[in-house]
Every structure is written in structure tokens, then in C-alpha cells.
Amino acid sequence: MILRIDRLQTELPPPSDPDPAGAAAVQELMGGKFGEMSTLMNYTFQSFNYRYRQGTRPFYDLIANIAAEEYGHIELVAATINTMLTGAGGAGDSTAPDDALSGVKDEAYKQHYLFGGKGALPADSHGKPWNGSYVHSSGDLVEDLTHNYFLETGARSGKLRVYEMCSHPAARALTGYLLVRGGVHQVAYARALENLTGADMSKLFPSPRIPTAKIPECQPHIERGEHLKLYRFSPNDFREIVAVFNGQHPETGEALTVIDEAPEGFPPVDLPPQTDVFAPDYAPEEISEIAQKLRKAAGLPDKVTGVVANDGDGLVDKVKEKLS
Amino acid sequence: MILRIDRLQTELPPPSDPDPAGAAAVQELMGGKFGEMSTLMNYTFQSFNYRYRQGTRPFYDLIANIAAEEYGHIELVAATINTMLTGAGGAGDSTAPDDALSGVKDEAYKQHYLFGGKGALPADSHGKPWNGSYVHSSGDLVEDLTHNYFLETGARSGKLRVYEMCSHPAARALTGYLLVRGGVHQVAYARALENLTGADMSKLFPSPRIPTAKIPECQPHIERGEHLKLYRFSPNDFREIVAVFNGQHPETGEALTVIDEAPEGFPPVDLPPQTDVFAPDYAPEEISEIAQKLRKAAGLPDKVTGVVANDGDGLVDKVKEKLS
Amino acid sequence: MILRIDRLQTELPPPSDPDPAGAAAVQELMGGKFGEMSTLMNYTFQSFNYRYRQGTRPFYDLIANIAAEEYGHIELVAATINTMLTGAGGAGDSTAPDDALSGVKDEAYKQHYLFGGKGALPADSHGKPWNGSYVHSSGDLVEDLTHNYFLETGARSGKLRVYEMCSHPAARALTGYLLVRGGVHQVAYARALENLTGADMSKLFPSPRIPTAKIPECQPHIERGEHLKLYRFSPNDFREIVAVFNGQHPETGEALTVIDEAPEGFPPVDLPPQTDVFAPDYAPEEISEIAQKLRKAAGLPDKVTGVVANDGDGLVDKVKEKLS
Amino acid sequence: MILRIDRLQTELPPPSDPDPAGAAAVQELMGGKFGEMSTLMNYTFQSFNYRYRQGTRPFYDLIANIAAEEYGHIELVAATINTMLTGAGGAGDSTAPDDALSGVKDEAYKQHYLFGGKGALPADSHGKPWNGSYVHSSGDLVEDLTHNYFLETGARSGKLRVYEMCSHPAARALTGYLLVRGGVHQVAYARALENLTGADMSKLFPSPRIPTAKIPECQPHIERGEHLKLYRFSPNDFREIVAVFNGQHPETGEALTVIDEAPEGFPPVDLPPQTDVFAPDYAPEEISEIAQKLRKAAGLPDKVTGVVANDGDGLVDKVKEKLS
Amino acid sequence: MILRIDRLQTELPPPSDPDPAGAAAVQELMGGKFGEMSTLMNYTFQSFNYRYRQGTRPFYDLIANIAAEEYGHIELVAATINTMLTGAGGAGDSTAPDDALSGVKDEAYKQHYLFGGKGALPADSHGKPWNGSYVHSSGDLVEDLTHNYFLETGARSGKLRVYEMCSHPAARALTGYLLVRGGVHQVAYARALENLTGADMSKLFPSPRIPTAKIPECQPHIERGEHLKLYRFSPNDFREIVAVFNGQHPETGEALTVIDEAPEGFPPVDLPPQTDVFAPDYAPEEISEIAQKLRKAAGLPDKVTGVVANDGDGLVDKVKEKLS
Amino acid sequence: MILRIDRLQTELPPPSDPDPAGAAAVQELMGGKFGEMSTLMNYTFQSFNYRYRQGTRPFYDLIANIAAEEYGHIELVAATINTMLTGAGGAGDSTAPDDALSGVKDEAYKQHYLFGGKGALPADSHGKPWNGSYVHSSGDLVEDLTHNYFLETGARSGKLRVYEMCSHPAARALTGYLLVRGGVHQVAYARALENLTGADMSKLFPSPRIPTAKIPECQPHIERGEHLKLYRFSPNDFREIVAVFNGQHPETGEALTVIDEAPEGFPPVDLPPQTDVFAPDYAPEEISEIAQKLRKAAGLPDKVTGVVANDGDGLVDKVKEKLS
């Protein structure tokens, strides 16, 4: 089971200039073979299928716990894509059902508009849906850890390349963060293999051979030591990861540490409606009104209980105003 | 972000007679078009892509919160498949690398053994991988809710049919539980649509038109009122679901209620190694020994910290004994 | 546009002993690469995309008209599968939601029961969905005709092999008919190529090299000359096929002829409900009652206007009786 | 069985400026999950698999009859794509095998030129082939009708978005028409559910919540009452749809009516050859000459018997002239 | 470019009892994610895409040369499947077009008969086609070598499991050989990584942790030192593999060696026709006669020039006799 | 088994201006349905599955031998794509991990950069992976030859269209060569069918109906008679192709001839590193240094033993210089 916390693992900027082609590139980090859907689902299935947990608990705890962190990664990638698509396609003053999407007719990634609602799709940068053949759950612990080490290597490669392709602030905030955290997982699986077999994999780092430290957007995270920490994403479980995630970081020699609770996180930006794709509606103020009535009837306070990063922006009022 | 709790939403029986063909059928509830991967990922992506959250909070909270519950459903389906496959394929006393899998050569679902390790795959009952084209996230709230109502209808249909096909105790425990909980989600989306539009969908229930009450394995859950409750799967968020999930159950007229915390759950059964598929190893006692050393070095207590349903069974000792 | 006629192109027997494994084999003729979905969609798209129709009318008419006949072929394959699945899975007296499908748990083709309702799926004999990559519509007339000749060759091969695998009366009636009609299409495309280029392809027949005349179930159709006729499936169009479909049958030397209207066809058998898969309902008599009320309110006659092969069987009454 | 009528259900304009990117968008309406291939094949398979027809005839007739209309929809989408691609890629005076396709090298949808012949493909806006997993045919009547209502909702959403993206006259004529007719099907399935269960779904309309009346290209169709009529697409069958398709239009309150015959339709435009993709040939005048000889030999009249919208344009002569 | 040698890399037994279910399992080694199609195509594409070959020649030579050996592996897997399917499906004395395939109607893997001709398909054990997403060619050398090491690990796992499932002599001869040779490739990629980075991966062996030496069918190959040798599969190229493939075998400590030429190989068994699937024909003696005439006309010697393992069996005569 | 020769079947130019959109088009010739992966794998599987070889040797030899040539074709297509992508995406002086890929953000084919390393992928022009359903290996010789004739026809069509779309020198050199060689295979399969059945297919040539002689880039090959020769790609095998590949070329009437050895081929251009995609590394000079040390330790000569077309270019030095 999970408990869901409505916060992001890192802070993302609010929408600025839309970047449809960049959003298409970021899709590779969502639904590509080495995207976050893959890391999430690989570790999730491996943990579900893990046999003999009590006898080999630290390894189970490690995989299950990293799986939990990955959920937050697909959430971040989705938020980034939504941010980059906000405002895309606009044809000046035209509104639906006019030619309000004519501005993105030349984009290759048409399903962002025709099938989705300027949101993330579980698909790669060409629109090919993520599929379950990307999941490797052999049951064999050494084999699965070897896979996971490789998967994180490929994922790091993908993140670096998206970084190089996309300079949109949201894409950069995303990849800066994911490179650091993905790096931790890469180390974690290498450490698990080393602890389990006695191999020495430290010389394989970094792979690809660009030190994360060279990337400006990684700096704030490195300065906070995020490249060394494994958070425990559970109220009470997965306490035995300390038996595996330990020793030195293969690149820096610093001590790897386990943090006994999840990071606090950041409230997400509440993104504005996109009426040209009817998200959440052609006339969002109408469903907002209905929502307010339902809230009142249920005895909820006037102030919305949810926490978002841009409360002060008065998005609700702005939308009502603009759309009225 | 999520926190993961290492417990199952309902209790599953320990392994009994293996049921490979039944496990193949249960895969439809995992990776089929109407399986739990689909419900999980549909609501997850819809919540990720949800715009104008503050203005329409109750609907966002509803979708995001049900998404959280669905994670527990794929976990249950996986646990069921693992349970049903435990012991499958055995050829008497033979062990790997003998003909230890000859007993399942005639099974159609060969990838349970050749590709996975007698565990669940993100695939349907024919082995076709789940894929992202099963996810509908249009951005349009009414459209997405309509989809979700339909998806739960199709999912209920699938569960009923797996129930009829599989009498294995784990499959029955699973489907008995999922029928009740899926029914709640079906009602929740209908109520959301009704509250949002004014339509009256109550006469569509039950769909398929078999009352859940007719199914013996649903009884214990119905008696506890599980068919009426929506749990809030978050420490602090998604408080506004009460504004949408309310009124009467369309079949029984009982009051729908929101429970302000997640259910307590049940510890999972720790399933025994399957050495014929090297899960978690050809010689699990060896990696167990390594694990114990690592645990000790990390200062962990002698008693494993994880909680499983069958601690008392002495699985660890049994395995060591049998395999030594 | 099309007009639909609720009759089958050939007569199929009523359900007898169910044959689930045979029905799975017949799926290859539906959604396999060389199944009827492929012939239908290849010729349909080629006709839709056909340019310069007036200048080269006879070839357009030929392709468009054969496309129309193929619709009747997917209908026949579907009817056959439904017939062979009728009664499958029954566990004696048990009814849904009991273990009414336990009898087909060992079938490889589980989606006939879990996803479909004992009906045909647009998928092949392994459950792989038919897909549009099986369609070849290059625009180049000689190339498309070459493709079509090859496609019919592969389709004939598939039909022969299903024939050899399945002795169920419905499968035999189907393949006996399709072999004769598919043979006509194979000849038609060869004739088109010959007329267009001057090549002589007659020595390629039969391919595979088993004469249709050797197959008992083809005899009645051959005796009626069905191996020589191309029907015109249109009230007023496609009159110029005579310019292409002419000359001698490559195997027998008999004259090929165009029939200026569609065959009369045969009423379909009305197949009984399968309540274990809720088709059309768990309690079909209830929706029948609703239907009767709606019919009366609409001023329809008491006697159902649709024509089926087994009116006299009193299926409606039987079902009511059995289910009441 | 079907009879095919070589006319389109609505009038499309002749080719004007080519619009390759727009044609790629329109592909979503062909082979996307919510495209016309999906509506056609869903209802077609549901009708093929329908059991207990006599007992519940009005529902069978409704689904089977709408399936027939959908065939005309894929035809229209194909004609639109062909129209928009006519002339695309031209590099001034160059002809094959020169660089005649260099003008479309930068288009994302390269298979329109490299695999197809500037014609429609059974694929979506990214080139992903349509596949049979988009078909839902559960056998359960209420479930299938619920699906169909949802499918039409999603399809309406897709049409609106293509409308907004593409202002090419053919795309607008197409979507204007399809929005009206798809709206009728959406109503029809809602009415079927209401009549069958007693639910009240009228408040769900319109969904997405843009009234069709706001769209200029829908006006002529609405003025002719096309939003209220269900045509019977059969010479003699499907007479009982009147028992289901009745009552009021949920948005306007006008009476829904059944028209007892198919609409007359419009002759298609005969599109000119595209010699750069060899459609129908590199030298179309040569195959035209052969065709004329074959026609004469078959005793066909000098004037081509097929009817197209642009007979007077002298396309045949123009092509001969231009190409000679 | 390649030169093809019509010999197998190891000896396979002639057909004995057919084993259709076993042949389906062996398909996993052909078209599964970890099958030989994957190893072949991964290394082939990596070698095609390899940049800066002169600067880093030994690594290029290693990958390109192993790719060449893998071609022989798909050939062996195909030969095994053909061997195991020879004679399958026979219904006593019946011949096509009788019920000659009724004996395999209950097999799940129907496409061996309906789509292929009792031969190997580029598909996995469920019939899912191999696809290019299984190929990883990132361009990054360390990443690709890491991938290859993992791929060989997963492939070894698959081979072990097929071994355990299938005791048919051909399957055992195949897996016995492939386990030894795949082991060499696993070592080769580990050595490449070690030589390139300084990591020490030797403790990861064996993975899965069953020593090959425990498998009887591996013995003859191990005795000949096949677990230590890398053959150079080229007349003149790839001479620099010695710079990478060197040092000690991680399990045995024996010296790894490069053999400067390809192994001699073994002639394949000429498998008998299967007339029930028309392979190579319904009446093979007829095409044999045609072949003889063509051979004579071309001045070829009476004795067939090709070399097969069972020349002495007089297969040609036997077939003629049996079929005449 | 194969021996691999590190030479290309024709000469390709060195990199000039990058052409990313053109490279995407050329992918259709790699992984499209009619690409070289398809021709390679079709003939390869048909040869693997060929039964009764001794009895019908000339046909087996023909298919097996053409399969061998096709390996060289996928190699050429890959080399072309790599050539066209060399230098793509460059953002002036920026290097990884800067915005070094920003220059290709607007390309539709993003996986060339994000997933591959500016190399060829086993996918089509839309990025859809090649898959095994494109392989036809029915076992029936006449059917398979008919398929192969059609496949070569479709492949010729694809090559012509890529030719028209791409004027990049590498694309032109590729298509000029492949059109000639593919034409030989098209003739070979037609001749095989004619020799086997007595049909006369010569009038079907050329198809598409553009004579290869009209294409300037084909001229040098035609002048050397490459349109008439079938090379024997084997040291000792496949000697009986002469019995099938004989007679006249259907277009020119010239005599078809068998060349008893493989063509000499041309050394490939050694393409420079692309450090923005880490191919073969972020710092290629470092792995070059390691390679030199390993070479020396292995006793290899100072001069690299591999032969490439641009040895004299001093690529190794240039890279070191530029990157140091």
C-alpha cells in the first residue's frame, strides 16, 4: 500500500514560454525504455515478486524503497511536461472551437493536443506507448540487481541528453535533480552487488563518464548532499537498507548515508486551464462554481484545503475574470 | 510523492496447491486492458495532468486519492499470482539444473518460468505486455470521469469472470476483495459525474448486473461496510473528496462515507524461494548468510525488522535446512 | 458508403459441441496477418486511396468491389467463432457467479472468456491484436495488385491449415466456403496483373498446390460454379469489373463470369445467451422483457422483424423458460 | 454482408493547397484510439458477436446499423487525407525519379510518402498502426453500450481538437460533418442505456461541453436536422431501431427521428495522379490506355460508368496532356 | 559483408519424437527479449554504429566479432525448433487436406502450424514477435558494454530455464552448447569493461549462480576448452580482440584464449518434408523432379553438391518412395 | 555460420553536411516493413526453416545466398544513417553537458539523439521498431518465393521514394546501389518462380515502372553489369544457384550470370566521435589511450590493423588534438 503526499520531490519553476518540442523530448524520460516509468515499474515488480524476504531483508528493503522514490520521479516528469506545454498552440485571441490549436499543427508530437490535454502521456519522445516488456523481474537477485545497475546507467545517459537538448527552465530543473537522484540509485545497486558478491564496481563510475558535478543545475542538490543520501520512503518499513547502502561514494569517496524519513518536498504549481483542449473544461469557471457549491454543502472551509506553490497568484480569480 | 507501507490491503492465504493456469488467468487483472495497471495508471496520469486544481479541488482530490488506492491493488494481484505459482513446475525431487521445470512445459504461459521467476508480469492473460495506450487522460474532466466510470465497469466484468474461472483460494480472496473495492470506485466516479452535471446514473448499477452481494467471498468485506467507504490514502492531503463522494449507494441506498485514514492492512506472506527459477537464487541460503553478515555489520537487531504474516513458520530455518 | 444486409454469404451449422481450441485456431483467419481483417482492410484502403479512377476505372472497380465482399468474410469468421464457443466452459449446472468458467481455465486463449464474451476478437490465434501494419496501400497499381495476389496466396495457405486442424462442422463449413471464394480473388488479382502487364501467371495456380477440388467441403460451392463468379456487391456501382475479370480459370479453363448482383445469402443462426459471460446479460430474460416493452411502445409488430435461421427453434421462449 | 455505394456521406471540397501537417493530424481521426476505425470496428464486432438477437432485437439493430454508417466515416476521413496530400512534396518541375519528394523531407509523417502513396494509412497522427486492442466487445449489453457512449465522447473530443488545429477546407468540411453525426451516435447510445436501465444521462450532454451549434461548419448539417436523424443503412434490415432511438435530443429537446433509408450521398472527387509516388503509376496515361482497351474489349460504353464529382474537369484529358 | 558457411556451430541430433510444447519453449531463446535475435542484433547494430574505430579498435573488433558468432546461434535455435516440430501434429495416416493437423489443435503455439511451416518464427515463447526495442546501441562504449554484460546474464538465465523445462535431445544439445558459448561472451564483455575501466567484475560470476560445469550437456564442450576460447569469425578482420579478451576465466582461473579462425562446424541434418503444412510443398517429389531437371540443364553433377549430416539416409529417395 | 568481412558492398562518401531529416527518411530502408531488416530476416528464416534441401537444393541455395548478401545491405543503410547524422545537433562551440543538442530539438526523430548515439536504429522512419511479424516463412516454397518477389517489389518502391526525398550524397550513393542490387533479387525470385512453375513474369518488370537505367546514381553499377550478377557469398556453399538464376534479364534481355565469389567491397569510413552523445565517450581520447596500452600489452603492432577508407585523414590525431 501507499500513502500519497501531494508535494513534489524538487521545486519546479512556473510556466514561462511554452516549449512544445522540448516537451516532446522530455517524454523520453517518461515513457522511453529508460524513462521513469521503467525505473518505477522495474523496482515495483521486483519488490512485489521478491521471495524469501525475511531471509534476505536488506536487499528487499532496498529495491522496495527505491521503487517508492521513483513514483515521485514520474510525477516530476509529468509536471515538467505540463509546465512546458502550458500556453502551447495558442493562436492569439482565438478560443475553442476556433483555430486555437493551429499554432501547434507543425509539431510532430500531435497527441499532446489531439489525444491528451497538453499533459504527459505514458509514451516516449516519438509517442510510442510505454510497455511492460521494459520490465525485468527475473526473480534472481544478482541478475535483477545487475539489470538495475544497467537501467540506471542508461537512464543517466538519457537524462544527460535531454539536458543537452532542452534549455527550458523546467526541463533543466528536472534533469538537474534527476541526475543527482538517479546517480544515487546507480550507486545503490552497485553497492548491493558489491556487498552481495564481493565485486568491485566503483571504477565504472561515472557512466556515462561526465561527472554530475560539471552540471550547474545539479549544484544546489550536490551542495545539500543529495548525491549521498538514500531517503526511507515509508512510515515504518524498509529499515534494513542501511545494511546495503553504505560505504563510500565511488566518485567522491564521501560517506553514503541513509535518511530515516522522506524529504519534505515542495508544493506543486497549480497550472492554469487550457480551454483550447478543454482542460479541465471549455468553461472552467462553470465547474469551479459547481465545485464551490459542493464544497460548501460538504462543510468544507471557504479556503481551499490543498496546498499549491502559487496560491498567492490568485489563479482562481484570474481564470474567472479572464473567462467571464 | 508517496510513502510505501509494506502491508496488503486485504489478507491473502498462504500458498497451497499451485495453479499455473489460474495464475495465467489472474494476469488479466494485472496487465489486461481492464487490469489494475490500467486503473492505477489512468488515475495517476489524470491526477498528474490535472489543471486548475484549486478551482476544482474536490474532483482532483478524488482522482488522486483513488489512484493511491490502486497501487495497493496491483500489489494484491501480484501477490496472488506469486502465491498461485509457488511450487509450480516441480518434477518431484529434481532440482535445477535438472528437469525441474518439466512439469510446466505444457502450460501456455511459459514466460512465468522462462522470463519471470514465478512472479507477476506486467502483461495480460496471453502474455501481451500492458501498454500506455490503455491510459486515457484527455484533460477534460467530464470526459475523464466518464472514462473512469466505464473503466471500472469493464474492470468489474473482468474480475467477475476471473472469479468464475479460478477457484484457487488466493484468486477467490483477491477477486472477492477487488469486486467490493472496485465497486466503490465505480460508484465514486458516477457520483462525481452526477454531482458535476446533474445526470442520474444510479440505475446503471450494478453493471455487469450481478449484485456483489451474491458472491460469498465478498460477504466479509460487505459486512464491514467496505462497499460504502472511501479511504483517504494520505497523511494530509485530498481532504476534499467528501464534497464529491457522498449521498447514497445506488444499489443499497446506504450512505457513502469517507474514512479519514488508510486501512491498517495485513502483513504479506513471505513466499518461499523457488530454486528452479533461481528466485532469489539457486542457493538462497548463501545469500541469506551474506545478508545476515551485512545486517550485523550495520548494527541491525538479530530479529529481522520486517513484518510478514508467516514469521512463526520459520521459513528462514526451513529453507536453510531443506537446502543444506 | 455501405448498406448492410443481415445475412451471411454462406450457411453455417447451428452450435453443436463447443470447440474452444478450434475457435482459437479460427481466430488466425480473423486477425492473423493473412486473416480476413487483412484482406478487408487492404482492399478497402486501396480503394479509398485510389487516384485517377475515371482514367483507370476497371481496376478501381475490381478492388473496391472485392473489398465489399470481404466484409462478409469477417462476418462469417466471427459467426464461426461464436458458434464454436457456444457452451464452452460450462461446469455442469453451475451458473455465474459460481465457477461457471472453470471448464476453460486450461485453454490458452483465455481472452475469449475474460475479455470478450465468447465471441470473436480482432486478434490472431495467439491473441495478438490485428494491426494496421498489415495493410499495404502503396498507391502504385501494379505493386498493390502484386501484393493482393500474394496476400490471397498466403490467405489460402492459412485456410487450408485451419481446415486440417479443425474438424468442427462450423470450421469446415467456413473454410470450405472461404477457400472457394478466396480462390476467386486470387484469380481476380492475377487476371488484373495479366491484363495490365501482359504477364502470364496461370501456371502459379493452385498455390499452395492443393487443388480446391480435393476438399469435400468445397464441392457444393464448386458445383454451383462459385469458383468462377465475381459478384457485384453494389446497387449501381463497380460495373466495369467485367473489363478485368474475364478469360479462363487458370486451373480448369472454365470461363470466369461476373454476376451482376450480390448473392442472396443466408439468415444467421441466433445464438443463445451465455450467462456465464453475461452475454447479453446475467439475466437475459429481463432485458428481453424491456425490449418487448420498447418494441410495443414503438408500434412494432409482436413478431420480431429480424430474420434468423432458427426462428422455429423458439429460442426466445426456451431462454425465458430455462432462465425463469 | 454489405452492398457498397460509391458515394460519400457528405460533400468534400476538391484539392486546394496541400497541407501535409494537417493531413497528419487528420490521421488521428482515422487510426487513433478514438478514430473512425475504432468506432467502425467496435460496433461491427459487437454486432457480429451479439447473442439472443431475436429476444432483444432493437438493441442489436441499433448497434449493427450504426456500424454500417461508420464505414462511411472511415471513407470520409480517407478522402480528406488524400485531398490534403494532393500536390504535397512537389519540388517545382522535378518529376520522379528526381528529387520530387524533397519538399516533404521535413515532415514528421514520412510514411505518407515512403510507405503509402499520399493516401490514408490505418494509423494515428504519429504513424502508430491502429490495432484490435481498441475494440471492446464484452458481450454484456449494458457494458458495451456504456463503452460506446464513452467512445463517442472521446471521439467528439478528438474531432473538436482536429477542427481547432486544421483550417484546411477539407478538414473543416470533414469535422463539421462528423461532429454532427458522431453527436447523433453519442445520443443514440445514451438513449439505449436510458431505455434499458432507466438512468437519466441527458445532463451529460454536450461532452466535451462545447455545443455543436457553435461551430460554423456544423451549421448546414444542423439546419437540415442531421443532428436528430438516424438513417437506416440497409435495404430491409434493422427496422427495430425505432424502439430505442426515440425521445428528445438532450441538448435541444427536439424529437429524435429514424429515417428509413440511407442518405443519398455525394459523388467523390476523382483525385489526380501523383506520379512522384507512382500513384497509380509513374506514367498513368499508359495504364489509362490499357484500361480503355480492356473496357472496349469488354463492351463497356466509351463514357466511363463511374460517377465522380469532377467529371467536367476533364481530369483524364488533363493528365494525358500534362504527362504526354 | 558476410560470407555464409552452410554448417552449424555444434552438432544437433536428428528428429526423434516431436515435442511441440518444447519447441514453443525454445522460441524464447529465439525471439524473446533475451533470445539470440537480441544478442545478434544488439552487437550487430553496436558494431555498425561504432565511431572512432581506429582509435579504439580492440573494442570495436570484440563487439563486431561476437556479433558474427551470434548469427550462428540463431541458426542453431532455428534448427532445434525445426527438429522438435518434425512430425508434430500427425493424425496417423491422414494427409493434407484431411485433418492432418488435428493432433496439434490443443497446442497453445498454433502459429507454428497455421502461419509458419513447422519452423522457427522470430517470436518468443508466447508468439510475440521480436522487435527492435530490444536493441540497445547508445554509442557510449562503457554503457553498451555494461548492457551487453547484462544481456548475456539474462540470456544465460533463459537458457538455464529452457534446459530445465525441455529434455528433448535437440533442446539439450542446443542449451548445453549455448550455455558454454554465451558464458564466453559474458566473460568477454566483463573483461572489456575491466580492461577499459579498472573495475573488478570477476566475483559476479557465475550469474545466475549455477556453474556451467554442473550441466552434463555442457561437459563435452568444456572438455574441449570451449568455455575459454573466442573464435575469430573473419578471414582477415577483427585481429585486435586479443587486446581485450585475455586474462583469467573468472570462475576457473584458466587462461582465456583467442582462436584465430572460426570453428569447423557440423553439417546440418536435412529435415524431411512436412506435407501437412506444404513444406516445401504438398507434393515435394514434384518440385524435386523439377529441381533435378534444372540442375542437369545447368550442368551440375548428379550428386547434390550441398553437404548435410544425413546424406546416407537417402532422404530424397525415401520421400519419393513414400509420397509416390 | 558466417564469416564477417569488415568492408562495405559499395563505396559511401565521407560525412559532409549533416542531414537529420534525411537520416530519418533513410530509417525506412532499415526498419520499415520493406526495409533491409525485412529482406535479411525473411530470407534468413526461410533458409533456416528450409526442409528437404538435398531434394530441391538449387532453391535452398538461392534463398540462403541472397540472405547472406542482405546482411551487407543493413550494414550499408546503417553506415549511411551514421554518415548523415555526423555533426547533427551541434550548437556551435558548446559541448556536453551544455546545450550541445539544442540544434536538433525540433527534429521529429528525437531517438537518434536521446536513445541512440547518432546511429542507426532497428526502426522505421517514424521510430516504430522493426518486428518479427514482417517475416514470412510459410515453408511452402512457391508461396515463399511469391512473397519474396512481392517484398522486393515493395522494397524497390521504398528505395525510389527515399531517393526522391533525399539528395544527400550518402543517401544517393546508398539508394543508387540498392536499387540495382534489389533489382537483381527481384529478378532472381521471379526466375525461381518461373523455373519452378512455368509462369512467365517478365512483363511485370520493372515494378514500380521506372527503369533503373533512368537513375544517374545507378549508372556506374549498371555499367559494371551489377544488375545481371548474383554473387556467391560463401567460401564453399550454395553452388547450385546457377540452376535457378539464369536466362535473360526481363527488361534488357541480357544474360543473367552467377559470380562465384563475393565482391571485394570497400573499406568503411571511420566516422569521428560525437561527444555530445558520448559516442564512443565524452572524452574519446581517454579510451583511445587505454586502447593503445591494451594493444601494446597484447603485442599488437603500432599501426592499427583494421582497414578504413580514411586512414590518411589522421582522424585519431585530429580527435586527440581537438579534444585535448
Side-chain angles (χ1 to χ4, degrees), chain A residues 95-102 104-106 108-111 113-117 126-127 129 276-278 281-282, chain D residues 19 21-22 24-25 28 33-34 108 124-126 128 157-158 160-166 172 208-210 214-215:
Chain A
T95 56
D98 245 11
D99 63 341
L101 290 171
S102 58
V104 286
K105 196 183 70 174
D106 288 328
Y109 214 100
K110 291 186 169 61
Q111 293 193 329
Y113 317 97
L114 301 180
F115 180 57
H126 288 207
D276 47 6
V277 288
F278 335 131
D281 197 279
Y282 172 54
Chain D
D19 184 358
E28 191 71 19
K33 195 174 169 184
F34 294 93
D124 68 13
S125 61
H126 288 206
K128 182 156 62 78
S157 185
L160 282 165
R161 294 167 181 202
V162 169
Y163 179 96
E164 293 179 73
M165 192 178 276
C166 302
R172 287 287 169 103
R209 299 188 99 65
I210 305 179
K214 282 208 170 183
I215 298 162

Side-chain angles (χ1 to χ4, degrees), chain E residues 91-255:
Chain E
D93 293 336
S94 80
T95 56
D98 244 11
D99 62 341
L101 290 171
S102 58
V104 285
K105 196 182 70 173
D106 288 328
E107 294 299 325
Y109 215 100
K110 292 187 169 59
Q111 292 192 331
H112 271 157
Y113 318 97
L114 301 180
F115 180 57
K118 296 195 201 165
L121 293 169
D124 68 13
S125 62
H126 288 206
K128 181 156 63 78
W130 184 90
N131 77 76
S133 79
Y134 298 161
V135 170
H136 188 65
S137 174
S138 74
D140 182 291
L141 181 57
V142 174
E143 179 180 335
D144 285 354
L145 290 170
T146 304
H147 166 270
N148 296 353
Y149 170 73
F150 163 63
L151 179 61
E152 291 289 348
T153 303
R156 188 171 187 273
S157 184
K159 290 161 195 164
L160 282 166
R161 295 168 182 202
V162 169
Y163 179 95
E164 293 179 73
M165 193 179 275
C166 302
S167 54
H168 187 283
R172 285 288 169 102
L174 174 79
T175 48
Y177 178 77
L178 289 182
L179 278 163
V180 172
R181 295 306 303 160
V184 172
H185 297 173
Q186 198 183 16
V187 169
Y189 289 122
R191 289 300 297 142
L193 275 171
E194 292 178 329
N195 277 323
L196 184 57
T197 68
D200 176 4
M201 301 173 71
S202 59
K203 295 286 180 56
L204 290 167
F205 288 83
S207 178
R209 298 187 103 63
I210 304 181
T212 304
K214 283 208 170 181
I215 299 163
E217 286 82 354
C218 296
Q219 288 315 318
H221 307 297
I222 291 174
E223 279 161 23
R224 285 198 312 276
E226 299 290 330
H227 60 304
L228 303 169
K229 300 173 190 163
L230 199 58
Y231 295 95
R232 201 167 57 75
F233 280 89
S234 179
N236 295 305
D237 304 305
F238 315 129
R239 297 190 174 281
E240 305 209 353
I241 49 180
V242 287
V244 183
F245 188 78
N246 52 36
Q248 298 182 341
H249 190 281
E251 292 175 67
T252 69
E254 297 163 288

Side-chain angles (χ1 to χ4, degrees), chain F residues 71-89:
Chain F
Y71 189 98
H73 290 189
I74 64 167
E75 190 175 28
L76 278 170
V77 176
T80 300
I81 292 167
N82 275 276
T83 301
M84 296 168 82
L85 290 174
T86 297

